[in-house]
Amino acid sequence: MKLLKKKHKPLHINDITIVDDDKLKKAITAAALGNAIEWFDFGVYGFLATVLGRIFFPGSSPTVQMIAALATFAVPFLVRPLGGIFFGMLGDKYGRQKILATTIVIMTIATFSIGLIPSYETAGLFAPLLLLLCKLAQGFSVGGEYSGAAIFVAEYAPDRKRGFLGSWLDFGSIAGFVLGAGVVVLISSIVGNEHMGEWGWRLPFFLALPLGLVGLHLRHQLEETPAFQKHVEAMEKESKDNLQDRPKLSFMEVATKYSKSFAICVGLVLVTNITYYVLLVYMPNYLSGSLHYSEDHGLLIIIAIMTGMLFVQPFVGLTSDKIGRKPFIIAGSIGLFLLSYPAFWLIQSDSVGLIFIGLLILAILLNCLIGVMASILPALFPTHVRYSALAISFNISIIIAGFTPAFVAWLVSLTQNLNMPAFYLMAISFIGLATAFTMPETANKPLRGATPTASDKEEAKEILSQHFDTIEQKVEELDETIAELEKKRQNLVDQHPKLD
């Protein structure tokens, strides 16, 4: 029986996708804004954790109230994998744009509804239960939000600019966090601490509604990504039945069939998001609850740090397009191990300047990690299962990361050791290093299973020329290897009387 050899067609200039600049800008803006709304809630909730603890969990000590409020923040992460599986399968079947428009609606309504929940004094146990329901709805929608947004940006971005353009997604995260924190500080300064605890805390959550409507309008106007459109066209050519019978991935299939990509995704998400939650969610409560530092001063310092991160974020993404993504993961992980303890030593001082420097160290290390995450993750999986596989992998690992604020607060309370957050970051730095040394370099390469993408015709020609040069180089290397093997073979043949 003859084996049929699949003949690979040469790459042609028409096979390279050229992205329309206006569509690209709209895609980046819409994706980043949706992410900003997600992290606006995280920022508001994290910075109001002490107030929310008193409102929804009265009768306990301040420490227990804070831990309870942070635990409520963490519980929704348990349902994120369910949201990831649900929206991931739909995203691979019906497209990325439709799902992103859906997730932003659910997330906006859930965030807005938190502001409507009565206090414990008014509704009793129903108050924390309603809060939990809203957080669970957020968790379900967010399960498909970040993965879908990262994929949307990555599939639109030209190969040589994916790091820079992908960095704007988490620019939106940080901006949303800054906005949330800034709104809390502004409202608190206007209404005062007493009124903030009575009704002022509701106002930041109400702002999610107009933000969400703007985000929905932008996402509704978007077209589907070029990579997914090409994938659908290819399936239509093969068989129209393929469009209805798309692959449906389970967690076990992702963990086995794409085991290496799954492990890399989990490792990267863990080291990045644990650092993120320690710095941006737990730290405000650490400064006020554990160090008894002025809440207003602590919030202002962290807002200043996050504002600085906004400027560093695109620089990291841009540089990663030049030198690669791996150097940043390595630098960030080594930095966490060597500098976390000194950073917390500075944070524990009574000097505003030293506290600022300690937080700045952690912020720069976080920028190294988060600046490249959105460009790495979508490149790990092929187009036809990218949404499902990434959503499952991302949200399985985010469960652990999501409990970081509550877990670290519990560790500090249990041990009475204020350096426990530093030790925790030092421990997870090993996960980051292991991930960096095993992950493939994805900079300036097409997404897995996709054709190259360029900014314009000239860049497409350069990519095509570079592609052919690479093939020629590999063929030359193979020819040299074959020639050396032929010499070795001949030497062995010459030593045997019956071989010729």
Side-chain angles (χ1 to χ4, degrees):
M1 183 177 68
K2 292 184 178 180
L3 294 175
L4 295 176
K5 294 182 179 179
K6 185 178 179 180
K7 187 176 180 180
H8 294 277
K9 295 181 179 179
L11 187 68
H12 190 267
I13 190 69
N14 293 330
D15 296 324
I16 298 176
T17 303
I18 298 175
V19 181
D20 181 86
D21 194 50
D22 290 336
K23 292 180 181 178
L24 178 60
K25 290 177 181 177
K26 289 181 180 179
I28 302 297
T29 303
L33 182 59
N35 224 31
I37 295 171
E38 172 192 345
W39 284 94
F40 172 82
D41 169 69
F42 286 170
V44 168
Y45 196 92
F47 279 68
L48 285 175
T50 303
V51 176
L52 295 176
R54 291 196 297 265
I55 292 169
F56 292 103
F57 306 99
S60 304
S61 67
T63 300
V64 173
Q65 289 177 355
M66 183 179 70
I67 292 174
L70 291 175
T72 306
F73 167 86
V75 167
F77 286 84
L78 294 173
V79 300
R80 284 183 63 159
L82 297 178
I85 293 171
F86 178 78
F87 290 116
M89 287 192 299
L90 293 178
D92 282 332
K93 185 173 184 178
Y94 298 110
R96 289 57 163 125
Q97 184 269 340
K98 294 182 178 65
I99 302 307
L100 287 177
T102 303
T103 57
I104 199 171
V105 170
I106 299 173
M107 187 166 51
T108 299
I109 293 174
T111 303
F112 175 79
S113 298
I114 292 177
L116 301 174
I117 300 174
S119 65
Y120 186 91
E121 291 181 357
T122 304
L125 287 175
F126 283 104
L129 285 176
L130 289 172
L131 175 63
L132 184 60
L133 284 175
C134 288
K135 298 301 290 181
L136 288 173
Q138 284 179 333
F140 188 77
S141 64
V142 171
E145 169 62 32
Y146 183 86
S147 302
I151 289 169
F152 200 85
V153 172
E155 290 186 345
Y156 252 109
D159 297 336
R160 295 182 178 182
K161 298 179 180 178
R162 188 168 292 117
F164 174 66
L165 296 175
S167 68
W168 289 97
L169 183 63
D170 284 297
F171 179 96
S173 302
I174 302 169
F177 220 105
V178 171
L179 179 62
V183 166
V184 170
V185 172
L186 179 62
I187 292 176
S188 179
S189 64
I190 293 174
V191 305
N193 291 332
E194 183 179 348
H195 292 303
M196 192 70 180
E198 292 175 357
W199 52 267
W201 64 270
R202 301 179 185 276
L203 300 181
F205 293 106
F206 290 156
L207 285 176
L209 185 59
L211 289 174
L213 291 175
V214 173
L216 177 61
H217 173 70
L218 290 174
R219 289 188 173 183
H220 186 69
Q221 290 185 321
L222 292 175
E223 294 183 10
E224 191 51 76
T225 67
F228 188 79
Q229 288 178 356
K230 278 196 170 186
H231 169 62
V232 171
E233 290 170 4
M235 294 184 73
E236 284 179 332
K237 288 179 181 179
E238 293 179 12
S239 170
K240 289 188 177 181
D241 294 335
N242 289 337
L243 294 174
Q244 300 299 323
D245 190 23
R246 305 280 177 86
K248 298 179 180 180
L249 291 184
S250 65
F251 164 71
M252 289 304 299
E253 287 175 302
V254 174
T256 53
K257 189 174 182 180
Y258 302 98
S259 56
K260 184 177 179 181
S261 296
F262 172 76
I264 292 169
C265 180
V266 169
L268 186 58
V269 171
L270 281 177
V271 68
T272 302
N273 283 276
I274 286 175
T275 307
Y276 204 130
Y277 294 145
V278 166
L279 178 62
L280 302 184
V281 179
Y282 172 69
M283 192 56 68
N285 302 286
Y286 178 80
L287 290 172
S288 59
S290 299
L291 301 183
H292 309 293
Y293 194 70
S294 167
E295 287 189 19
D296 291 339
H297 288 170
L299 292 177
L300 289 173
I301 290 175
I302 293 178
I303 290 173
I305 291 293
M306 288 190 293
T307 303
M309 289 178 65
L310 291 174
F311 294 96
V312 177
Q313 180 74 6
F315 173 77
V316 171
L318 179 64
T319 308
S320 76
D321 285 328
K322 309 297 181 183
I323 66 173
R325 326 287 192 219
K326 295 179 71 169
F328 284 99
I329 304 299
I330 293 171
S333 301
I334 293 176
L336 283 177
F337 181 75
L338 296 178
L339 300 176
S340 291
Y341 187 86
F344 272 86
W345 180 82
L346 293 170
I347 292 169
Q348 291 167 32
S349 70
D350 292 328
S351 169
V352 174
L354 294 179
I355 293 173
F356 183 86
I357 293 172
L359 291 172
L360 181 62
I361 291 171
L362 295 178
I364 292 173
L365 296 177
L366 177 57
N367 269 130
C368 288
L369 301 170
I370 203 168
V372 296
M373 187 169 72
S375 56
I376 294 174
L377 297 182
L380 297 175
F381 301 99
T383 305
H384 67 291
V385 294
R386 183 171 292 131
Y387 206 148
S388 301
L390 179 54
I392 292 172
S393 306
F394 184 90
N395 290 294
I396 287 294
S397 46
I398 208 71
I399 291 177
I400 302 172
F403 280 91
T404 295
F407 180 66
V408 174
W410 175 78
L411 282 178
V412 172
S413 176
L414 178 68
T415 63
Q416 297 299 306
N417 188 336
L418 295 176
N419 291 314
M420 290 307 297
F423 297 147
Y424 193 53
L425 291 177
M426 291 169 70
I428 64 105
S429 68
F430 289 101
I431 298 176
L433 274 177
T435 303
F437 288 123
T438 55
M439 62 177 276
E441 182 54 73
T442 60
N444 300 308
K445 296 179 180 178
L447 293 173
R448 186 172 170 183
T451 54
T453 305
S455 301
D456 50 44
K457 199 77 171 180
E458 290 302 315
E459 187 175 282
K461 292 178 180 178
E462 291 177 12
I463 290 174
L464 188 64
S465 177
Q466 187 179 32
H467 172 73
F468 291 146
D469 289 343
T470 301
I471 291 177
E472 290 172 6
Q473 183 180 353
K474 289 181 178 180
V475 170
E476 289 177 3
E477 291 173 355
L478 285 172
D479 287 339
E480 291 176 2
T481 302
I482 291 171
E484 291 178 2
L485 290 173
E486 285 288 351
K487 288 180 181 179
K488 290 181 180 179
R489 179 185 181 281
Q490 191 60 47
N491 287 335
L492 292 173
V493 168
D494 292 342
Q495 297 173 40
H496 195 290
K498 295 184 179 180
L499 292 176
D500 50 31

